[in-house]
Amino acid sequence: MQKQEQKNLGRRWSSGSRSEATPSLVYKVQVATGKLWGSATFDSVSITLVGLKGESPKQLLDKTGKDFIHGAVDNYEILSDRDLGPLLLIRLHKEPYQFFPEDPWFCDFVQLTTPDGQIFHFPCYQWLEGYRTLELREGTGEIIQSIPKGGRLEIRLKGLMSYHESWKRLEHIRKIFWFNKTLVSEYVADHWEEDTFFGYQYLNGVNPVVIEKCTEIPANFPVTQEMVAESLGKSTTLSEELQKGNIFLVDYKILQGIPTNLINGEQQYLATPLCLFHQRSSGDLVPIAIQLSQVPSPENPIFLPSDPRWDWTLAKMWVRNADFHIHQNISHLLKTHLMAEIFTMATLRHLPMCHPVFKLLIPHQRYTLQINILARIRLIRKGGMMDQATSAGFEGIGTLVSRGVEQLTYSSLCLPEDIKARGVESVANYYYRDDASRLWAAIESFVAGFVRYYYWNDDRIRGDSELQAWIREIFKEAFQSQEASGAPSSLTTAEELTKFLTMVIFTCSVQHAAVNSGQRTLGFYPDRHFVEEEPKRLMEAFQTRLADISEQINQRNQALALPYDYLNPTCVENSVSI
C-alpha cells in the first residue's frame, strides 16, 4: 500500500468515519531513529499496539515534514476506540513508499504513554531491512512468557584494511612498525631478542593462557641437570626448582600432524615444540631449554641458551611461530570469536528482546556476527590472508580449530579455574592474571546482583523455558554436547547462572581484549535496554568498580618499563568487534 493511501485511511479512521465507534483514547508514541550512518528511511512505517484487552488497528506513523530522519525522536498520537489494557507488545510494519526503492531503517526504541499516563518502553536497536513486520515486547516483560520475537540484530560494520610489508633482515624489524609507532612497538624493536622479553610474552603478551607450572619433566623432553645448570645457577638444582614451583612449560603437541601450506610454490613447516622456563629470584621468566618436535632423538636436539647465538635465536623463533598458530586459531579465533558467535546466535534465537538475559548480553555481542563474517571473507577462507601468509594455511587452520573444539572445556573459559588448572596462581609479574582476576570479580559481582533481582528463587531459573533453550543450544554448538567438557546443558541455580553469564561476558570482552586489542570500553552501555531502576544502579556500580580497577592499573604501570594496558578497562572493548 502506498504511503498517501495509508495517510488517507489513517485520517478517515481518526476523523470518526468508521461506523463502529469514534476513537476517544489517545496513546502517545515516541519513535527514535538511530544515529548510525544510514539509519534514516524513506519507507512507510505503521504501528499496531497489542495489550491484554485487545489490539489497535494498524496506523501509519506520519506527521508534518519528514519522518524517521537520522537521530530523530518523532512524536505521534495513536487513537483507539477502547482501552487496550497493559501493553504487551507492539508491531512495527515497514512497507513500500510510492516508487522509492527499499530503504533500511535503524530503530533505537519506541516509547508509549497510555491515556492514564503509564509509560511503556520497547527497546529495539536493530536494522529493519526489506518489507517486514517486527514485534517488540515491552521492556519489563515477564521472563517466562513465550511471545515469539521477530527480527535479527544486523548492525553494519565497515571493512577492515590490512597491511603487509616484507622485510629482509632481522635488524629491519622496525620497518613493520613504521605506520604506528608506540611505546610497545619501540620496546619490542629494542628487546625482541632478549630471553627475558621472550619469557615476558608468555605472561603478558597476546597469548598469556598457554604457560603451565611444570612439576615433572615430560618423558618426551629429556632435559637433564647438566643441560640447565648454567641457567639455574650453581646454588640450585632442577629438582629443587621443580619442587619450589619455579619451572614452567609450554607444550605445542596439538600442532602434531597439522597439514602445512605451500606459499609461492615453497613448502612451509610447523614445529611442535616443548619449551621449558625458569622464574628467577628477580621475577624474570626465561627460557632454559627448547625441543622443536615431540619425539626426542639425535635429529631432534634440545637447544639451550648456551648454544651459539643464532642457533638459540632460531629455536626461539620456531617456538614463537608455533605460538602464533595457537594464539590466532585457538586462543583468539576459537575461544573468543567463535564462542562469542555461538553465544550471540543462541541469544538471538531463543531470548526475546525484553528478556533480562538478552538485555544483559546484547551490548557484549555488538558487531560480533559482522566481524566474524568479515574474517571468513578476508582471513580464513581458501585463498584468504591466513591461507596466503601462514604455515598452516586454510586446511591446517580447519584441522587445528577442530582439535581445539575437541579439547575445549568449560573450566578453560572460566578464568579462576583456568589459572588454578595451569598452576600459575603465584607466578610473579603475571599482570594478565592479576588484571583479568579483578575484572572477572567485577563482572561476577555485577551479574550476581542482576540474577538476584530477576531470579529471586531457583524455581524461576528452572522454569524459564527460553533460558533453558538458550543454554541447550550453547552446550550443543560450543561444547558439541560432550559431558566431558564440564559445560552445563541446563541451569538450575542462581550460582550456576551467575557463573555462566560471567563467563560469557568475560569471554566476549576481557578475554578477547587480552588476545587482541582495545576498541570500545568495557561497561559502556549506549543503548537503553533496561527500564527498571535496579539494573541501572547495578550498571553504575559496575562502572564505578571498573574505574577503580583502571586507576589501580595506571598506578602499577607507572613503575613498569613496559606498561601492561591490555586489560585496563578503558582499553577493553565491550564485545568481540574487531
Side-chain angles (χ1 to χ4, degrees):
M1 182 181 295
Q2 292 188 347
K3 197 168 189 176
Q4 189 58 48
E5 293 172 340
Q6 294 182 27
K7 289 181 181 179
N8 293 337
L9 284 176
R11 292 189 185 111
R12 287 198 296 272
W13 178 58
S14 61
S15 64
S17 61
R18 295 178 60 191
S19 59
E20 293 87 349
T22 299
S24 57
L25 298 178
V26 177
Y27 290 80
K28 296 181 179 179
V29 179
Q30 281 191 334
V31 181
T33 297
K35 298 179 181 179
L36 298 170
W37 180 86
S39 294
T41 186
F42 284 101
D43 288 350
S44 295
V45 177
S46 302
I47 192 170
T48 302
L49 313 184
V50 180
L52 277 177
K53 297 181 180 179
E55 64 181 71
S56 70
K58 183 173 77 171
Q59 184 168 330
L60 180 70
L61 297 177
D62 180 69
K63 59 179 177 57
T64 303
K66 181 167 171 52
D67 304 275
F68 316 117
I69 65 174
H70 178 90
V73 178
D74 295 311
N75 295 283
Y76 306 92
E77 290 187 351
I78 303 297
L79 305 179
S80 176
D81 58 0
R82 55 179 168 168
D83 179 14
L84 302 176
L87 292 175
L88 299 178
L89 60 85
I90 62 172
R91 298 188 184 102
L92 294 177
H93 313 277
K94 183 168 170 289
E95 299 169 308
Y97 173 52
Q98 295 185 0
F99 53 82
F100 285 88
E102 189 274 330
D103 194 17
W105 176 43
F106 189 90
C107 176
D108 276 355
F109 64 85
V110 178
Q111 183 168 293
L112 274 80
T113 304
T114 64
D116 60 0
Q118 294 185 70
I119 297 176
F120 294 84
H121 190 76
F122 298 83
C124 185
Y125 302 107
Q126 61 181 294
W127 288 100
L128 279 75
E129 300 201 44
Y131 302 124
R132 54 180 290 206
T133 294
L134 173 67
E135 287 189 351
L136 299 175
R137 283 168 57 174
E138 201 277 322
T140 56
E142 284 294 318
I143 292 171
I144 302 174
Q145 185 177 3
S146 182
I147 298 177
K149 65 181 169 84
R152 297 182 316 177
L153 187 66
E154 295 180 358
I155 308 299
R156 296 167 177 177
L157 186 66
K158 291 184 177 180
L160 299 176
M161 297 296 292
S162 60
Y163 169 79
H164 173 70
E165 172 73 12
S166 61
W167 47 291
K168 297 179 181 179
R169 296 175 61 86
L170 292 177
E171 291 81 0
H172 294 168
I173 189 171
R174 291 180 186 274
K175 288 179 62 178
I176 67 172
F177 298 123
W178 69 269
F179 62 97
N180 186 28
K181 286 188 177 182
T182 66
L183 174 63
V184 174
S185 71
E186 291 296 293
Y187 190 94
V188 171
D190 290 337
H191 300 280
W192 70 272
E193 198 180 342
E194 298 171 7
D195 285 356
T196 52
F197 185 59
F198 182 88
Y200 171 91
Q201 292 178 77
Y202 281 91
L203 299 178
N204 305 307
V206 294
N207 196 23
V209 294
V210 293
I211 192 164
E212 300 180 357
K213 183 167 72 175
C214 181
T215 57
E216 182 179 359
I217 302 298
N220 65 330
F221 192 17
V223 177
T224 66
Q225 171 63 29
E226 291 72 24
M227 290 179 182
V228 297
E230 184 176 339
S231 295
L232 298 180
K234 296 179 180 179
S235 61
T236 188
T237 66
L238 181 58
S239 60
E240 289 172 343
E241 291 301 278
L242 286 167
Q243 291 177 2
K244 292 177 183 177
N246 292 331
I247 302 298
F248 298 86
L249 177 70
V250 178
D251 188 346
Y252 295 97
K253 60 187 174 185
I254 195 172
L255 294 173
Q256 186 79 16
I258 293 293
T260 54
N261 199 11
L262 279 175
I263 299 178
N264 295 329
E266 294 187 12
Q267 181 64 52
Q268 304 300 302
Y269 300 93
L270 265 178
T272 57
L274 296 103
C275 186
L276 203 65
F277 296 85
H278 175 232
Q279 185 147 63
R280 297 169 174 169
S281 58
S282 64
D284 289 334
L285 185 74
V286 294
I288 59 174
I290 293 172
Q291 181 177 289
L292 292 182
S293 70
Q294 293 288 307
V295 181
S297 72
E299 292 75 31
N300 182 28
I302 294 176
F303 293 89
L304 305 171
S306 57
D307 288 337
R309 174 192 175 191
W310 289 114
D311 288 0
W312 179 238
T313 299
L314 286 171
K316 289 190 295 181
M317 292 177 73
W318 277 110
V319 174
R320 295 303 302 162
N321 178 263
D323 192 73
F324 164 83
H325 284 83
I326 299 301
H327 162 248
Q328 286 289 3
N329 298 302
I330 295 182
S331 304
H332 188 191
L333 175 61
L334 172 61
K335 290 190 174 181
T336 64
H337 278 259
L338 298 185
M339 288 299 103
E341 180 174 318
I342 291 171
F343 301 152
T344 300
M345 291 303 299
T347 299
L348 296 175
R349 282 173 173 159
H350 298 291
L351 302 180
M353 292 184 67
C354 69
H355 195 288
V357 172
F358 178 99
K359 292 188 281 188
L360 175 72
L361 295 183
I362 203 64
H364 304 288
Q365 298 169 346
R366 191 182 184 101
Y367 302 136
T368 293
L369 299 183
Q370 285 66 34
I371 197 65
N372 284 1
I373 289 169
L374 283 176
R376 288 182 172 96
I377 292 172
R378 299 188 175 198
L379 298 179
I380 53 175
R381 64 176 177 83
K382 187 69 174 176
M385 186 181 297
M386 294 292 283
D387 191 36
Q388 295 180 47
T390 69
S391 301
F394 177 73
E395 292 185 14
I397 289 171
T399 304
L400 182 54
V401 171
S402 295
R403 288 185 185 178
V405 172
E406 292 171 0
Q407 299 178 16
L408 183 69
T409 64
Y410 180 37
S411 63
S412 71
L413 301 178
C414 297
L415 179 80
E417 295 175 32
D418 179 61
I419 294 295
K420 184 176 181 180
R422 292 190 288 115
V424 289
E425 303 98 316
S426 59
V427 61
N429 303 326
Y430 198 6
Y431 309 128
Y432 159 79
R433 174 203 59 211
D434 299 341
D435 296 353
S437 296
R438 293 189 188 104
L439 292 172
W440 176 280
I443 295 169
E444 185 177 46
S445 177
F446 169 53
V447 171
F450 166 91
V451 170
R452 284 194 301 271
Y453 179 74
Y454 286 103
Y455 296 94
W456 52 86
N457 62 56
D458 291 344
D459 288 342
R460 288 180 65 82
I461 295 174
R462 288 188 288 267
D464 187 341
S465 59
E466 293 164 335
L467 181 69
Q468 299 300 335
W470 175 79
I471 191 68
R472 280 196 302 273
E473 175 157 322
I474 294 174
F475 178 68
K476 176 185 176 183
E477 299 298 335
F479 300 98
Q480 300 296 293
S481 301
Q482 296 296 317
E483 292 185 5
S485 69
S489 58
S490 63
L491 295 166
T492 59
T493 68
E495 182 180 8
E496 290 176 353
L497 177 57
T498 297
K499 178 181 175 181
F500 200 86
L501 291 176
T502 300
M503 180 276 293
V504 170
I505 294 174
F506 182 87
T507 297
C508 295
S509 57
V510 179
Q511 190 57 35
H512 179 255
V515 299
N516 191 72
S517 61
Q519 179 79 358
R520 183 181 291 271
T521 305
L522 177 63
F524 176 68
Y525 300 111
D527 300 338
R528 183 188 168 199
H529 287 285
F530 288 103
V531 297
E532 304 94 328
E533 290 304 314
E534 179 61 11
K536 295 178 186 177
R537 187 195 68 78
L538 291 170
M539 287 181 193
E540 291 175 0
F542 183 37
Q543 291 165 343
T544 299
R545 186 164 180 177
L546 292 175
D548 291 340
I549 293 172
S550 181
E551 180 59 28
Q552 294 173 36
I553 291 172
N554 290 336
Q555 291 180 6
R556 178 204 62 206
N557 284 348
Q558 290 178 7
L560 301 180
L562 181 59
Y564 183 72
D565 253 337
Y566 290 158
L567 297 187
N568 190 324
T570 61
C571 301
V572 174
E573 66 267 26
N574 221 14
S575 60
V576 176
S577 58
I578 190 169

